[in-house]
Amino acid sequence: MKIITSNFIHILAALALGSAAGASPSPEVIVLRTPDDGIQPVAEADTAGNVHLLYFRGEPAHGNLFYTVRRQGADQFEPAVRVNTQDDCAIAIGTIRGAQLAIGRDGYIHVAWMGSSNTRPEKEHHLTPMLYTRSIDGGKTFEPERNLITESYGLDGGGAIAADSTGRVDVFWHAGKPDSGEVGRQIWVTRSSDDGKTFAKEVPAWDESTGVCGCCGMTAGASAGRSWVMYRAATDKVNRDIYLLGSDGATLKFSGQKLDQWETDSCPMSAMSLGFSGNATAAAWETKEGDVAYTIAGTDLHGRVPHDKVKRKYPDVALAPDGHTLLAWIDGAGWNKGGQLSWQMFDSKANPIGQLKTIGDSAVWTKPAAVYNGDAFLIIY
């Protein structure tokens, strides 16, 4: 794997995993099923160690989203609350188009997702909305969802969201001009500076013409005063490389780096993920060989899990403050096909710890969620 760095990322090198100089015991790994037979869990832990969980239920092409929380010290999730107001306005089919979650200032819960066919005019695929809602009462209720797209139509591959402690909320998606194809697609971002109450008109996140793989997913997050977004490009229709973009903080000026290369003339329908701990940012993705890999931004640390007979899909990465990294994924998943949950622990030097673990069959259209709650890693699937 070739890592190509750029200046924006180097400022984190001296900070990332700075507390992980000495060896420490591996954290416990707790494996949980998604409540209510839900699929596509998305998890984030807050500063108190509470694990916030978003998941999907219903028909894969048009279902509903639910939110719940597992309090620090509790052994189960609380009763779930439905997130969306309009019935069946979320989508799970394809796996990479699912909803995403972010916890912002004052514990506000922010959710963004690609609308289902129920939310657009019949046969008008290019008008698919990027929906957003929030809860300002700790997840008891959610505001009616609203569409954040004003002119950048052509959404596919879902979207992504990032929120931080200053009240900034950034929502991302990729779209292109009519008939421009994947080469003409780009990453769009809209920002709220008031905890999601209002959003500015969307703007391109980066001025580099990389294209975007039309039916690949994307992911985002906030750390160290920056917003991060990760996606798969489609340069010249065949260069479907992984890019990580980081903002300069206060503005929406992004710089980027290429993490990995993949040359193919077809969309691999791949997923990727970001994990954060302090100033450290981990980025995980699927490779052209069928492996899953990750890197710690701004360092030369990168781990990889080679495939064995079947391709590894839908990686999710989580970081502990001492540098331990957990990478979870689904083996053998595909279109309308489940697989098996697997995971691998890595130490602070990106060396594998112990044996690769595989447990249980996964549902169709699902992916795992990995999160560190301050005491242990949790994998929800």
Side-chain angles (χ1 to χ4, degrees), residues 234-318:
T235 312
D236 299 324
K237 297 183 181 180
V238 296
N239 297 312
R240 299 179 187 268
D241 308 326
I242 287 287
Y243 280 87
L244 176 65
L245 310 185
S247 73
D248 64 0
T251 72
L252 287 177
K253 294 181 180 179
F254 284 79
S255 300
Q257 72 169 145
K258 184 190 297 184
L259 298 180
D260 193 29
Q261 298 175 329
W262 188 341
E263 186 172 322
T264 176
D265 59 1
S266 62
C267 174
M269 244 183 146
S270 67
M272 61 278 315
S273 68
L274 293 169
F276 305 96
S277 180
N279 292 302
T281 299
W285 64 92
E286 302 169 23
T287 75
K288 63 182 179 181
E289 294 85 3
D291 307 340
V292 287
Y294 81 92
T295 189
I296 304 297
T299 77
D300 60 358
L301 298 174
H302 36 273
R304 191 179 184 114
V305 185
H307 72 285
D308 181 16
K309 298 181 181 178
V310 296
K311 290 184 177 181
R312 308 195 191 280
K313 297 284 291 180
Y314 317 133
D316 204 53
V317 65

Side-chain angles (χ1 to χ4, degrees), residues 162 168 170 172 191 221-223 225-229 245-247 249 254:
R168 290 196 293 258
D170 293 339
F172 303 85
R191 168 166 287 182
S223 175
R226 294 178 163 222
S227 281
W228 305 87
V229 61
L245 310 185
S247 73
F254 284 79

Side-chain angles (χ1 to χ4, degrees), residues 96-98 100 114 130 155-161 172-173 218-219:
I96 50 82
R97 299 184 177 96
Q100 296 201 24
M114 176 177 169
M130 187 71 218
L155 170 65
D156 197 2
I161 189 168
F172 303 85
W173 61 91
M218 59 187 302
T219 189

